[in-house]
């Protein structure tokens, strides 16, 4: 199998690509964020290209390790008829970036486009609020050999787009998926709008084409649609070639050129791409790839980790941030940035753990209180009565009491029921008000139960 992708993602701007209409199309009534320009009324001329959109496209191209076109860049008119395209053509630029790479998948080109409107076939209506919103299109070479590879690439691409701060992410992503099997022709699946959808579309199409080839039936070069509700693809039309779109340079838009100083300025300000950051974390902090990926899943989280390890040992910080901190963030359905947890809060909590002022269990309870809280971990610990770790003698006495008061659990333990140990540990925790170390508690309980069994 060979797979190449054409990914369209909206750029994060306040105004559209060629006019001043707002881009919050999902928050306003239908056909209100419109003007004579984005409706392409007779005689209407586009404004100069949105500068923020152009800079965003350049930044994303650079983060994908693309070469930036040094020659003049201009917009073409791509002609086709569809209800959501009032002009009968879509403005699309020639490549801004080319010959890039993302984890071994070659990027053929990156260019800009204007988004069409939204056509609803079931009602026959069109909402032009989206018409003219700036898009970036990322075209890969057919380097992916399985649906799993395509899914992995798209996940990594979304991370790059999120790091850039200039794209609206997976929620606005639409991918055209190209797939061919050895002995068959290329098929394009249009407008798949999620990573899961792209994976499912490829899985279905791979099986469909394999079955055709097994029966000796030729795979037609065509464009197909993915019906997400049914997880199948259906034929739309024969595949168009470039000449079918009758490309011509747009006479209403001036050519553009990115000078070296502009490109260098973007390079200096843009963040380190996540796939590069992941590799650096592995080398610099000796982290496993899986752990490095978790810590670089958000730019703000990665930056905070690097601040934390200036004061805390790298592996210890990684353990708590990748497991407990991410658990709390995920449970609260927020990003790390939205949680408002600060570097100083994390450092103080980890120092209390390292200094054995609190138990690991207490640390987990404290970290659950940190989102949207300005309180320090120490204040929370004192407020909840979690400061202090009981000594071994106190744990031993509590363990003896737990065994004495729970003969049924002891019997279950001797019969090989593992859950009984968790129950007994919980009883010790109650007796010590959560201040016993769980690992040490388990060891003490096992020793006592072994001794009791021998007697």
């Amino acid at each position: 199998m060979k797979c190449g992708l054409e990914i369209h993602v909206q750029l994060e701007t306040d105004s559209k690509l060629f006019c001043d209409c707002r881009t919050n199309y999902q928050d306003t009534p239908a056909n209100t964020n419109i003007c004579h320009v984005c409706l392409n009324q007779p005689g209407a001329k586009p404004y100069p290209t949105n500068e923020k959109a152009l800079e965003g496209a350049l930044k994303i191209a650079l983060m994908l390790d693309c070469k930036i076109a040094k020659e003049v860049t201009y917009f073409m008119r791509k002609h086709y008829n569809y209800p959501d395209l009032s002009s009968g053509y879509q403005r699309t630029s020639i490549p801004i970036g080319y010959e890039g790479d993302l984890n071994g998948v070659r990027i053929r080109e990156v260019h800009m486009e204007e988004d069409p409107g939204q056509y609803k076939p079931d009602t026959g209506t069109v909402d032009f609020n989206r018409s003219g919103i700036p898009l970036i299109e990322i075209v890969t070479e057919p380097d992916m050999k399985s649906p799993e590879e395509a899914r992995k690439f798209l996940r990594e691409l979304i991370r790059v787009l999120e790091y850039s701060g200039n794209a609206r992410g997976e929620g606005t992503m639409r991918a055209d998926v190209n797939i061919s099997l050895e002995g068959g022709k290329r098929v394009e699946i249009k407008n798949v709008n999620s990573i899961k959808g792209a994976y499912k579309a490829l899985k279905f199409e791979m099986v469909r084409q394999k079955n055709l080839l097994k029966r000796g039936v030729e795979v037609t070069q065509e464009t197909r649609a993915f019906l997400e509700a049914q997880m199948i693809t259906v034929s739309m039309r024969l595949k168009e070639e470039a000449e079918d779109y009758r490309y011509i340079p747009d006479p209403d838009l001036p050519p553009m050129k990115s000078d070296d100083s502009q490109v260098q300025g973007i390079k200096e300000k843009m963040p380190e791409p996540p796939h590069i950051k992941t590799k650096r974390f592995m080398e610099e902090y000796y982290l496993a790839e899986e752990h490095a990926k978790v810590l670089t899943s958000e730019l703000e989280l990665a930056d905070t980790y690097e601040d934390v390890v200036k004061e805390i040992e790298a592996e210890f910080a990684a353990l708590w941030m990748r497991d407990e901190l991410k658990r709390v963030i995920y449970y609260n359905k927020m990003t790390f940035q939205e949680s408002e947890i600060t570097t100083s809060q994390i450092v103080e909590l980890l120092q209390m753990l390292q200094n054995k002022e609190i138990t690991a269990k207490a640390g987990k309870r404290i970290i659950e209180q940190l989102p949207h809280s300005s309180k320090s971990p120490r204040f929370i610990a004192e407020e909840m009565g979690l400061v202090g770790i009981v000594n071994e003698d106190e744990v031993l006495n509590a363990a003896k009491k737990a065994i004495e008061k729970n003969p049924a659990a002891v019997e279950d333990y001797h019969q090989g029921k593992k859950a009984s140990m968790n129950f007994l540990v919980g009883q010790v925790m109650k007796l010590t008000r959560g201040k016993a170390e769980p690992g040490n508690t388990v060891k003490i309980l096992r020793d006592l139960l072994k001794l009791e069994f021998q007697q």
Side-chain angles (χ1 to χ4, degrees):
M1 170 187 150
K2 284 186 178 180
C3 172
L5 301 170
E6 301 168 26
I7 304 107
H8 303 77
V9 180
Q10 291 178 355
L11 292 168
E12 185 68 71
T13 60
D14 293 328
S15 57
K16 294 183 180 181
L17 192 54
F18 301 117
C19 68
D20 288 336
C21 290
R22 312 313 290 168
T23 56
N24 59 334
Y25 68 98
Q26 294 172 320
D27 304 328
T28 57
N31 295 309
T32 53
N33 282 9
I34 54 175
C35 69
H36 56 285
V37 174
C38 55
L39 285 179
N40 288 287
Q41 296 296 296
K45 299 292 183 185
Y47 298 4
T49 305
N50 185 317
E51 189 173 338
K52 184 179 178 183
L54 179 58
E55 288 183 356
L58 283 169
K59 183 195 285 187
I60 292 168
L62 288 167
M63 291 182 73
L64 292 171
D65 200 27
C66 287
K67 299 174 183 175
I68 301 301
K70 293 188 178 296
E71 64 273 11
V72 167
T73 301
Y74 55 89
F75 279 88
M76 308 277 282
R77 289 182 177 180
K78 176 183 178 181
H79 293 83
Y80 64 93
N81 291 313
Y82 204 67
D84 60 12
L85 202 63
S86 57
S87 61
Y89 61 82
Q90 181 184 29
R91 292 185 178 94
T92 178
S93 77
I94 65 171
I96 292 172
Y98 62 97
E99 293 182 10
D101 178 89
L102 178 57
N103 286 348
V105 175
R106 292 171 295 161
I107 309 297
R108 181 183 300 171
E109 65 177 72
V110 174
H111 62 261
M112 294 177 66
E113 290 184 349
E114 58 178 346
D115 216 347
Q118 293 174 289
Y119 174 53
K120 298 179 180 178
D122 54 335
T123 60
T125 60
V126 181
D127 179 6
F128 285 103
N129 279 347
R130 196 178 72 182
S131 180
I133 286 180
L135 292 177
I136 188 171
E137 181 173 2
I138 300 159
V139 183
T140 79
E141 298 290 354
D143 289 342
M144 288 152 277
K145 303 296 189 292
S146 69
E148 289 75 19
E149 285 187 22
R151 179 172 60 185
K152 184 178 178 181
F153 170 82
L154 285 170
R155 285 174 175 167
E156 197 61 53
L157 177 63
I158 290 297
R159 288 212 306 161
V160 173
L161 296 173
E162 289 173 347
Y163 264 53
S164 76
N166 290 97
R168 296 190 176 191
E170 186 182 357
T172 69
M173 184 191 82
R174 300 193 297 279
D176 297 340
V177 181
N178 295 277
I179 173 176
S180 65
L181 302 183
E182 188 174 353
K185 293 183 179 177
R186 177 168 61 94
V187 171
E188 180 184 44
I189 309 166
K190 293 290 285 186
N191 291 333
V192 183
N193 59 17
S194 68
I195 294 174
K196 179 184 176 183
Y199 174 75
K200 293 291 186 181
L202 281 169
K203 292 282 279 188
F204 175 86
E205 191 61 21
M206 187 169 64
V207 172
R208 186 189 73 86
Q209 292 186 29
K210 276 183 179 178
N211 289 338
L212 287 174
L213 292 169
K214 279 180 184 177
R215 299 198 306 267
V217 179
E218 183 181 17
V219 176
T220 305
Q221 182 168 322
E222 62 178 338
T223 297
R224 299 178 68 85
F226 177 58
L227 306 182
E228 193 154 4
Q230 301 173 49
M231 294 295 175
I232 63 171
T233 68
V234 294
S235 182
M236 291 174 65
R237 58 183 180 270
L238 294 178
K239 181 77 180 82
E240 303 95 338
E241 301 294 347
E243 54 267 24
D244 296 325
Y245 291 117
R246 307 186 313 281
Y247 283 98
I248 61 169
D250 194 309
D252 294 330
L253 287 165
M256 307 169 291
K257 189 172 184 180
S258 302
D259 58 44
D260 291 340
S261 61
Q262 181 186 21
V263 173
Q264 187 58 36
I266 293 172
K267 278 184 178 180
E268 290 172 358
K269 292 179 183 177
M270 75 182 194
E272 181 182 30
H275 52 294
I276 303 299
K277 193 183 288 290
T278 298
K279 291 175 183 174
R280 181 171 63 79
F281 274 28
M282 292 168 64
E283 295 169 1
E284 190 171 334
Y285 303 118
Y286 304 103
L287 302 178
E289 182 178 6
E290 181 185 350
H291 302 157
K293 277 193 171 182
V294 172
L295 292 168
T296 58
S297 58
E298 297 177 51
L299 177 59
E300 294 78 15
L301 179 63
D303 288 345
T304 299
Y305 174 74
E306 295 216 79
D307 288 336
V308 168
V309 296
K310 292 174 183 175
E311 301 184 55
I312 303 292
E313 191 271 322
E315 180 60 33
F316 185 71
L319 174 68
W320 275 84
M321 292 182 70
R322 77 169 189 252
D323 292 342
E324 296 308 320
L325 182 59
K326 285 292 285 186
R327 172 182 66 84
V328 171
I329 290 168
Y330 182 79
Y331 177 81
N332 287 282
K333 298 179 181 178
M334 61 176 67
T335 65
F336 174 72
Q337 186 178 30
E338 289 169 344
S339 76
E340 300 176 358
I341 297 174
T342 65
T343 300
S344 60
Q345 286 176 315
I346 297 171
V347 168
E348 184 174 82
L349 174 64
L350 298 184
Q351 286 176 338
M352 291 176 72
L353 286 160
Q354 285 184 325
N355 296 336
K356 299 193 180 301
E357 297 177 66
I358 55 173
T359 65
K361 185 173 181 179
K364 293 175 184 180
R365 291 181 62 188
I366 293 166
I367 207 168
E368 290 168 358
Q369 307 300 314
L370 292 183
H372 303 304
S373 173
S374 59
K375 296 177 181 178
S376 72
R378 184 173 296 281
F379 181 87
I380 294 170
E382 291 171 351
E383 196 175 44
M384 297 177 71
L386 298 174
V387 177
I389 298 178
V390 296
N391 61 41
E392 191 164 319
D393 287 341
E394 290 178 89
V395 178
L396 181 61
N397 290 331
K400 287 177 179 177
K401 287 181 182 178
I403 290 171
E404 183 183 340
K405 292 182 179 180
N406 298 280
V410 171
E411 182 64 26
D412 287 344
Y413 175 80
H414 289 316
Q415 290 179 6
K417 296 178 181 179
K418 295 181 179 179
S420 60
M421 175 57 75
N422 295 334
F423 173 79
L424 290 170
V425 170
Q427 297 306 301
V428 174
M429 288 298 174
K430 281 184 181 179
L431 292 167
T432 60
R433 291 173 297 160
K435 295 181 181 180
E437 279 285 358
N440 189 41
T441 301
V442 169
K443 182 179 179 301
I444 289 173
L445 280 167
R446 280 178 179 163
D447 289 343
L448 287 172
L449 290 165
K450 183 179 178 181
L451 184 62
E452 181 190 75
F453 184 73
Q454 288 172 346
Q455 291 175 347

